[in-house]
Amino acid sequence: MKTDPRPVVAPPVPPLRRLGHLLARRRRPVMVLALLGAVVLAVLAAGTVSGLSLARYEAPGSESDRAQAELAARFGTGSADLVLLVTARNGTVDTPAVAASGRALTARLAAFEGVAETASYWSRGNPATLRSEDGRHALVVARIPGDADRVRSEILPRIIPEVLRGDAATTVRAGGGEEVFRQTVPLARQDFVRAELVVVPLVLVLLWVHLRRVLAAVLPVLLGVLAMVIGLALLRIPLLYADLSTFALNLTLAMGLGLGVDYSLFMIARFREEVALGRDRYEAVARAVERAGRTVIFSGVTVAASLSVLLFMPFDFFRSFAYAGIAVVAGGVAGAVLVLPAILAAVGDRVLSRRPAAAGGTFWRGLAARVMRRPVVYGGVAAAVLLLLGSPFLGLRFGVADDRVLPVSAPARQTSDVIRAEFPAEETDALQIVSTGAAGAAPGAVSGYAAALSRLPGVAQVDSAAGSYAAGALVSAGDPSRFAGAGGTGGTWLSVVPSAELMEGDPVRLVHDVRALRAPFEVLVGGYPAELADYRQAVIERLPTLLGLILAITFAVLFLMTGSVLIPVKATVLNLLSLSVMFGALVWVYQDGNLSGLLGFTPTGTLDPSVPILMFCVAYGLSMDYEVFLLSLIKEEYDLTGDTSGAVVTGLQRGAPLVTAAGGILAVSFAAYGTAEVVFVQMLGVGMAVAILVDATVIRAILVPAAMRLAGEANWWAPGPLRRLHDRVGLSG
């Protein structure tokens, strides 16, 4: 018998295993560098927080945006940014002492640097729209042009303390869009501090319950903090050229802790498995980096890709979350794949489990086996329950956010509540219609158009150079000097004042009605309601593109991982099913007002489209996080045995306990934001907690095995061209 003279060539060592060996050998330098880097990054992260801001609801290039520019350039006017509510201590706002105080306040406000224009009940000849129905309140309004950050951080802090002092005749409260936003920022940051004070100790307890070792519980929290720090430090880069929303801070901190814990759990669990197989500590670290590290990287790419699609939205608010998501995912992956292995190589014996490795998976193995035996029954019941829970989503009504995102204790909210309750119309939220030519050339054109506008449903009054009109009738003579273009530019503009009832309901409807009314000359429609309408329309128009991008990107990532066409499709369907539950909860709670007393918010009957879109991208990415983890275990077992059913059962036995624990901890991280006072932050926390819990339990434990059992060997199918493509560029073990 002849022997083969050729030498046996050992298979190449996978790159990630080589990285694991390197980190184990150089563990001390790695840990020292990580500590020094964390200190430097913490300094950079601290500077990020002060640089965050609140972007306005603006759609660049829209009709309302062009109208605002025309009003400022040709007429030196625009929508009010600050509203002062003046209340008579005795008598009414027409009492001589109160009127004198109101006029003095108007003059004092006009004298502040940065204030371009002021008006009040007393300076405009006592218009009814600036006086409350009982006569006790009147309004002073101001336009403060310029960058939002400058207005909120420099100008308003100088003005507000001075004007709120009042005097013997009046008391003064402040409101308006800019003041609402200014008060939202510190409240959102307080929400974070309060939530994290609850989350961190609770997560430590949950980790100890799951891992049964103190060091094993502490390490994921430390890696979560590191992910937060890295994420915030990396945000310094986009801050150089973009405005980032302060709400990105909340997402960074919640996701940083959650993903840091998730990824650390994946690594620690794999390290424990490798040690249980008899490998020494350093080899176990290398194998953990090779296998769990690959899963972490895939998961990170998937989550970051899901959030990166927000960069295609031309709004700073959305882009902020894309930058924040990508940055914090990078921090979580770096900590889990580069720092944690070095720590495990140094102190790994102190994180090993005191229980048999398979003990935690017995229940899940039994459940998986039962589901696989009767996939139609289990899968059908689970899907029906989720569809029922998601059914409120069918009643979704998009609206616009207002001051009611603040708690009732916020001063700006209190000011707006009084205006809503006591004033017949919303003068400060008037639609501004500006002509684009010399409108005054046609006799009667302005007066006829103003009268027609005043007859539209929800219009309280129309002010123009031809006079003020209500329900088609002339109420008072006009002020040509106020409405004529400056410097002989010609043209005119009209102010359409909506009723308080309409503003509380659907202000966007009035915008559509005004734009649909035929004008005798070319016009642009702007003002706050128009800005909201254009912003909402621009967001909704981009929804199909956004949805297509996120589905395509995640499909590509899962295909590269598995080489299958069916598995990415199945993952997409199941993720959308879990997200339907999240959206159903948002509608049932925040739109319809259920649990509003318990959670402490004021329902408006609609949802701003910004928050559901953001939550879709975040939740979709995090759902794929658990999909990638379970698929990696199932695929690993299938590659060894070729048995799909057995691979699913074994994969769930190994992965379901960890997915459930990780999902529960991540859900707790988000749920803590349910205590927030700012409704946007609260919605994000509650909605994400619901989505993660459903995904980590019902979806992964029941619907995934049921779907894979029904598909059988077709799970791994791909057409020939795609199979050959995966053979060339696929990323497998």
Side-chain angles (χ1 to χ4, degrees):
M1 180 177 180
K2 294 183 179 180
T3 59
D4 191 342
R6 292 173 296 181
V8 177
V9 179
V13 179
L16 284 176
R17 194 189 305 176
R18 290 202 302 271
L19 174 63
H21 282 300
L22 175 64
L23 295 172
R25 289 196 308 270
R26 304 294 184 186
R27 55 194 177 278
R28 288 188 179 85
V30 170
M31 289 190 291
V32 171
L33 286 174
L35 182 60
L36 293 176
V39 173
V40 173
L41 290 169
V43 174
L44 293 173
T48 298
V49 176
S50 61
L52 300 176
S53 62
L54 268 169
R56 289 174 170 141
Y57 285 106
E58 295 173 339
S62 64
E63 181 176 343
S64 60
D65 188 49
R66 300 195 309 274
Q68 190 74 7
E70 283 282 310
L71 282 168
R74 295 174 58 200
F75 301 94
T77 190
S79 300
D81 300 302
L82 175 64
V83 179
L84 300 182
L85 176 67
V86 181
T87 303
R89 294 184 185 272
N90 296 292
T92 70
V93 293
D94 295 309
T95 301
V98 175
S101 175
R103 285 190 289 270
L105 176 62
T106 306
R108 195 161 77 249
L109 180 60
F112 279 99
E113 181 184 355
V115 176
E117 186 180 6
T118 60
S120 70
Y121 168 71
W122 302 278
S123 69
R124 280 194 182 169
N126 302 357
T129 54
L130 291 175
R131 179 183 185 272
S132 67
E133 292 179 314
D134 63 3
R136 294 187 59 246
H137 312 280
L139 300 181
V140 179
V141 297
R143 184 173 66 90
I144 309 174
D147 176 75
D149 283 336
R150 179 172 177 268
V151 172
R152 296 166 191 165
S153 63
E154 298 179 20
I155 299 177
L156 287 180
R158 292 199 309 267
I159 294 176
I160 299 300
E162 294 295 325
V163 299
L164 294 190
R165 292 176 181 174
D167 54 27
T170 62
T171 61
V172 182
R173 283 184 278 189
E178 297 296 351
E179 182 63 7
V180 167
F181 279 126
R182 189 177 79 93
Q183 292 183 19
T184 302
V185 175
L187 279 177
R189 291 177 180 170
Q190 290 172 24
D191 289 340
F192 148 69
V193 173
R194 183 171 54 253
E196 294 303 307
L197 288 175
V198 174
V199 166
V200 172
L202 186 55
V203 166
L204 276 171
V205 171
L206 293 174
L207 285 169
W208 180 85
V209 170
H210 176 66
L211 298 171
R212 297 293 182 176
R213 298 298 296 265
V214 173
L215 182 61
V218 170
L219 283 177
V221 174
L222 292 179
L223 267 295
V225 173
L226 179 62
M228 295 181 198
V229 170
I230 294 175
L232 287 175
L234 290 176
L235 285 180
R236 293 293 292 270
I237 298 172
L239 269 175
L240 296 174
Y241 59 86
D243 292 327
L244 301 188
S245 170
T246 188
F247 291 121
L249 173 67
N250 299 81
L251 181 68
T252 301
L253 298 170
M255 281 188 64
L257 181 62
L259 290 179
V261 168
D262 274 7
Y263 295 162
S264 298
L265 284 176
F266 295 168
M267 295 294 294
I268 291 173
R270 190 69 192 216
F271 173 76
R272 286 177 164 187
E273 284 187 11
E274 297 297 336
V275 171
L277 291 173
R279 295 188 172 92
D280 64 56
R281 187 195 308 171
Y282 304 142
E283 183 63 22
V285 167
R287 298 276 180 165
V289 172
E290 176 191 358
R291 291 294 188 177
R294 172 177 172 270
T295 302
V296 166
I297 293 170
F298 259 110
S299 170
V301 169
T302 307
V303 176
S306 299
L307 285 164
S308 68
V309 301
L310 292 172
L311 293 173
F312 291 90
M313 301 290 280
F315 311 109
D316 290 335
F317 178 80
F318 286 109
R319 289 175 173 173
S320 300
F321 293 101
Y323 295 129
I326 294 170
V328 77
V329 166
V333 171
V337 177
L338 299 177
V339 179
L340 182 58
I343 298 174
L344 292 176
V347 297
D349 293 341
R350 295 168 60 187
V351 304
L352 296 178
S353 176
R354 293 191 174 99
R355 296 177 296 175
T362 304
F363 166 79
W364 297 102
R365 183 180 184 87
L367 176 61
R370 290 193 297 274
V371 171
M372 299 284 277
R373 283 196 299 269
R374 304 180 70 183
V376 174
V377 174
Y378 279 93
V381 171
V385 170
L386 295 185
L387 288 173
L388 178 63
L389 293 175
S391 61
F393 179 58
L394 298 175
L396 172 66
R397 294 186 299 275
F398 281 134
V400 289
D402 57 23
D403 58 278
R404 285 169 287 186
V405 301
L406 293 173
V408 293
S409 59
R413 165 70 187 276
Q414 293 174 348
T415 300
S416 297
D417 283 342
V418 173
I419 294 173
R420 262 191 299 271
E422 303 294 338
F423 284 73
E426 297 279 0
E427 170 81 25
T428 55
D429 291 327
L431 280 169
Q432 309 293 344
I433 303 177
V434 57
S435 69
T436 57
V446 175
S447 59
Y449 184 44
L453 286 168
S454 70
R455 287 190 289 266
L456 291 175
V459 173
Q461 182 172 300
V462 176
D463 298 319
S464 70
S468 295
Y469 291 81
L474 182 65
V475 177
S476 61
D479 180 2
S481 64
R482 178 186 171 205
F483 292 96
T489 59
T492 189
W493 61 277
L494 303 89
S495 177
V496 180
V497 183
S499 67
E501 182 181 3
L502 178 121
M503 285 303 298
E504 192 170 355
D506 184 14
V508 173
R509 178 176 60 81
L510 177 59
V511 179
H512 295 323
D513 290 344
V514 168
R515 287 175 173 170
L517 183 67
R518 183 176 178 84
F521 39 82
E522 292 294 324
V523 298
L524 294 172
V525 179
Y528 180 65
E531 291 169 4
L532 294 178
D534 289 343
Y535 176 81
R536 190 177 83 174
Q537 183 63 28
V539 169
I540 293 174
E541 284 177 351
R542 287 164 176 79
L543 276 178
T545 301
L546 194 74
L547 182 62
L549 283 171
I550 196 170
L551 296 181
I553 290 172
T554 52
F555 181 94
V557 171
L558 289 180
F559 171 75
L560 290 175
M561 177 182 178
T562 64
S564 165
V565 169
L566 187 61
I567 284 178
V569 172
K570 180 264 302 176
T572 297
V573 172
L574 294 185
N575 282 351
L576 293 177
L577 188 59
S578 70
L579 294 185
S580 72
V581 178
M582 178 186 75
F583 288 129
L586 288 182
V587 171
W588 190 77
V589 175
Y590 290 97
Q591 176 180 291
D592 299 341
N594 296 290
L595 306 182
S596 59
L598 176 64
L599 295 173
F601 69 91
T602 303
T604 61
T606 60
L607 292 180
D608 187 297
S610 303
V611 178
I613 291 172
L614 166 66
M615 292 174 65
F616 172 81
C617 295
V618 176
Y620 193 88
L622 293 178
S623 296
M624 283 296 182
D625 180 25
Y626 301 124
E627 181 76 16
V628 166
F629 177 68
L630 273 182
L631 275 179
S632 68
L633 296 176
I634 293 172
K635 182 71 163 56
E636 183 180 335
E637 189 67 23
Y638 177 77
D639 289 342
L640 291 173
T641 65
D643 177 11
T644 298
S645 297
V648 172
V649 171
T650 302
L652 282 173
Q653 179 186 9
R654 293 172 59 193
L658 184 55
V659 166
T660 304
I665 291 169
L666 185 59
V668 165
S669 299
F670 277 105
Y673 285 87
T675 64
E677 292 187 284
V678 177
V679 175
F680 283 157
V681 180
Q682 189 183 108
M683 288 175 65
L684 179 66
V686 172
M688 291 302 304
V690 169
I692 292 167
L693 286 176
V694 169
D695 190 81
T697 53
V698 179
I699 298 292
R700 303 303 152 204
I702 298 177
L703 287 175
V704 166
M708 295 196 75
R709 173 67 178 83
L710 291 172
E713 293 304 308
N715 279 296
W716 317 105
W717 176 83
L722 287 180
R723 173 63 61 189
R724 290 189 291 274
L725 175 65
H726 182 266
D727 291 340
R728 289 197 300 270
V729 301
L731 303 173
S732 62

